[in-house]
Amino acid sequence: MPFVSIRITREGNTAEQKAQVIREVTETLERVLHKPPHLTHIVIEEIDTDNWGYAGQTTTVVRQLPLEA
Amino acid sequence: MPFVSIRITREGNTAEQKAQVIREVTETLERVLHKPPHLTHIVIEEIDTDNWGYAGQTTTVVRQLPLEA
Amino acid sequence: MPFVSIRITREGNTAEQKAQVIREVTETLERVLHKPPHLTHIVIEEIDTDNWGYAGQTTTVVRQLPLEA
Amino acid sequence: MPFVSIRITREGNTAEQKAQVIREVTETLERVLHKPPHLTHIVIEEIDTDNWGYAGQTTTVVRQLPLEA
Amino acid sequence: MPFVSIRITREGNTAEQKAQVIREVTETLERVLHKPPHLTHIVIEEIDTDNWGYAGQTTTVVRQLPLEA
Amino acid sequence: MPFVSIRITREGNTAEQKAQVIREVTETLERVLHKPPHLTHIVIEEIDTDNWGYAGQTTTVVRQLPLEA
């Protein structure tokens, strides 16, 4: 009975990409942990870059730095 | 000191319905677990149907299938 | 397709109490929001009192104060 | 490797305030728990006042009462 | 900068299985969403069956029923 | 009305350290966002190193590598 929350920054993720992530993670949980797909719920929570902090700075700022991914 | 997070799909839930859920869950926690309401916080997190996966598909797709609720 | 997380302090909550909370919250979501029970998952996460802070103090300390519930 | 989720009501929090919270919490985790900033992620999740329940009422209603903060 | 929380019931999941889930989900997020692994954190949260409710019952009870997975 | 969840690895964090984190984060939210402490709840969730994945590996494995913090 898995519940998966995936938090990512809101930066142009397409519906196709999100559907693909849902498909693959559900498949991983079924194959590795034997969790039936009809009990697996996955939520993708997209966070504005102003609201995601990394290394003490918002991602908005990090995105303007030369090297960080 | 309960904190309750309720994740549901964003599909036309009204302010009245959400207020009713908050009222009832607070009451349940008070009656069953003796939690004082002034320490009970409840957050309703509404998720776009493209971002909620069930049985390996997004809810957007599931909603177009014949039977699933 | 609700997912509910209920965080409470770990302070002698019985299996019967937890089952009752699960039953009632599922029923509330079905009656108020029309969510089918077989799509409703509820997780109760019990937190040690040393790990729950309220008003700037751990609940371990709060429990030793005269009035707080 | 901390991950911090800060849920607050969506009520005019500025980008500067959010950046300041991220900076300070990252610094606290580094100084007190020795967590390196490049492993510390902080997410601020802003919740509509209709969706945050406190003491059995939505924050929208609580904000109209005389005294509550 | 993904953060993934995977909640499952605590029912004999091995360290090898958990490491495999972490490996595969990290790889999915890298390949589909271009998220660098050194920014991807995944937490597996194992929940006692008394504390996971499904369809209004605890998983402890569901496990004793004839058909449910 | 903030609710803060702080997930860290379970690696010998003392009650004193956790109380200090709770004190400081509550203070930050009060000073920067004007959140009253009696509405601020903070939960520290300690995760076994086998259950925390970073860069595709469990923290148990990462801790045995030469450089990572």
Side-chain angles (χ1 to χ4, degrees):
Chain A
M1 287 143 165
F3 177 78
V4 179
S5 156
I6 300 176
R7 285 180 178 93
I8 52 178
T9 43
R10 191 191 313 278
E11 296 177 282
N13 313 294
T14 68
E16 288 70 25
Q17 285 175 312
K18 293 187 283 192
Q20 177 76 5
V21 166
I22 285 167
R23 193 157 43 235
E24 293 195 16
V25 174
T26 303
E27 196 273 333
T28 288
L29 295 176
E30 183 179 20
R31 183 168 31 77
V32 179
L33 293 176
H34 316 300
K35 298 297 185 188
H38 77 280
L39 296 178
T40 298
H41 294 260
I42 297 177
V43 160
I44 297 175
E45 309 189 82
E46 296 179 276
I47 310 288
D48 292 340
T49 56
D50 272 0
N51 287 22
W52 191 301
Y54 167 66
Q57 296 182 293
T58 68
T59 308
T60 305
V61 169
V62 170
R63 289 294 184 245
Q64 299 162 356
L65 300 178
L67 279 190
E68 257 309 314
Chain B
M1 286 142 165
F3 177 78
V4 179
S5 155
I6 300 176
R7 285 179 178 93
I8 52 177
T9 43
R10 191 191 312 279
E11 297 177 282
N13 313 294
T14 68
E16 287 70 25
Q17 286 174 311
K18 293 186 284 191
Q20 178 75 3
V21 167
I22 285 166
R23 191 156 45 235
E24 293 196 16
V25 174
T26 303
E27 194 275 330
T28 288
L29 295 176
E30 182 177 22
R31 184 169 29 78
V32 179
L33 293 176
H34 317 301
K35 299 297 184 187
H38 77 280
L39 296 178
T40 297
H41 293 260
I42 297 177
V43 160
I44 297 176
E45 309 190 81
E46 295 178 278
I47 309 286
D48 292 340
T49 57
D50 273 358
N51 287 23
W52 191 300
Y54 167 66
Q57 297 183 292
T58 68
T59 308
T60 306
V61 169
V62 170
R63 290 294 183 243
Q64 298 163 355
L65 300 178
L67 279 190
E68 258 310 316
Chain C
M1 288 144 164
F3 177 78
V4 180
S5 156
I6 300 175
R7 285 180 177 92
I8 51 177
T9 43
R10 192 192 310 281
E11 295 177 282
N13 313 294
T14 68
E16 287 70 24
Q17 286 175 312
K18 293 186 284 191
Q20 177 75 6
V21 168
I22 285 167
R23 192 157 42 237
E24 293 196 16
V25 175
T26 303
E27 196 274 332
T28 288
L29 295 176
E30 183 178 21
R31 184 168 31 75
V32 179
L33 294 175
H34 317 300
K35 299 297 184 186
H38 77 282
L39 297 177
T40 298
H41 293 260
I42 297 176
V43 160
I44 297 175
E45 311 191 79
E46 296 178 277
I47 310 289
D48 291 340
T49 57
D50 273 359
N51 287 23
W52 191 302
Y54 167 65
Q57 297 183 293
T58 69
T59 309
T60 306
V61 169
V62 170
R63 290 295 184 243
Q64 299 162 356
L65 301 178
L67 278 192
E68 255 312 311
Chain D
M1 288 144 165
F3 176 79
V4 179
S5 155
I6 301 176
R7 285 179 177 94
I8 52 178
T9 43
R10 191 191 312 280
E11 296 177 283
N13 313 295
T14 68
E16 286 69 25
Q17 286 174 311
K18 293 187 283 192
Q20 177 76 4
V21 167
I22 285 166
R23 192 158 42 236
E24 293 196 16
V25 174
T26 303
E27 195 273 332
T28 289
L29 295 177
E30 183 179 19
R31 183 168 31 75
V32 179
L33 293 176
H34 316 301
K35 299 296 184 185
H38 76 282
L39 296 177
T40 298
H41 293 260
I42 297 177
V43 160
I44 297 176
E45 310 189 81
E46 295 178 278
I47 310 287
D48 291 340
T49 56
D50 273 359
N51 288 23
W52 190 302
Y54 167 66
Q57 297 183 294
T58 68
T59 308
T60 306
V61 169
V62 170
R63 289 295 183 244
Q64 299 162 354
L65 300 178
L67 279 191
E68 257 310 316
Chain E
M1 285 139 166
F3 176 78
V4 180
S5 155
I6 300 175
R7 286 180 177 92
I8 52 177
T9 43
R10 193 191 311 279
E11 296 178 281
N13 313 294
T14 67
E16 286 72 23
Q17 286 175 311
K18 294 186 283 193
Q20 177 76 6
V21 167
I22 285 166
R23 192 157 43 234
E24 293 196 14
V25 174
T26 303
E27 195 275 331
T28 288
L29 294 175
E30 182 178 21
R31 184 168 29 78
V32 180
L33 293 175
H34 317 301
K35 298 297 185 186
H38 77 282
L39 296 177
T40 298
H41 293 260
I42 297 176
V43 160
I44 297 176
E45 310 191 80
E46 295 178 278
I47 309 288
D48 292 341
T49 57
D50 272 0
N51 286 23
W52 191 301
Y54 167 65
Q57 297 182 293
T58 68
T59 308
T60 306
V61 168
V62 170
R63 290 294 184 244
Q64 298 162 356
L65 300 178
L67 279 191
E68 257 311 314
Chain F
M1 288 143 162
F3 176 79
V4 179
S5 155
I6 300 176
R7 286 179 177 93
I8 52 177
T9 43
R10 191 192 310 280
E11 297 177 281
N13 313 295
T14 67
E16 286 72 22
Q17 286 175 311
K18 294 186 283 192
Q20 177 76 4
V21 167
I22 285 166
R23 190 157 44 235
E24 294 196 14
V25 174
T26 303
E27 195 274 331
T28 288
L29 294 176
E30 183 178 20
R31 184 167 31 75
V32 179
L33 294 175
H34 316 300
K35 299 297 183 184
H38 77 281
L39 295 177
T40 298
H41 293 259
I42 297 177
V43 160
I44 297 175
E45 311 190 79
E46 296 178 278
I47 309 288
D48 292 340
T49 56
D50 273 359
N51 287 22
W52 191 302
Y54 167 65
Q57 297 182 292
T58 68
T59 308
T60 306
V61 169
V62 170
R63 289 295 183 244
Q64 299 163 354
L65 299 178
L67 279 191
E68 257 312 313

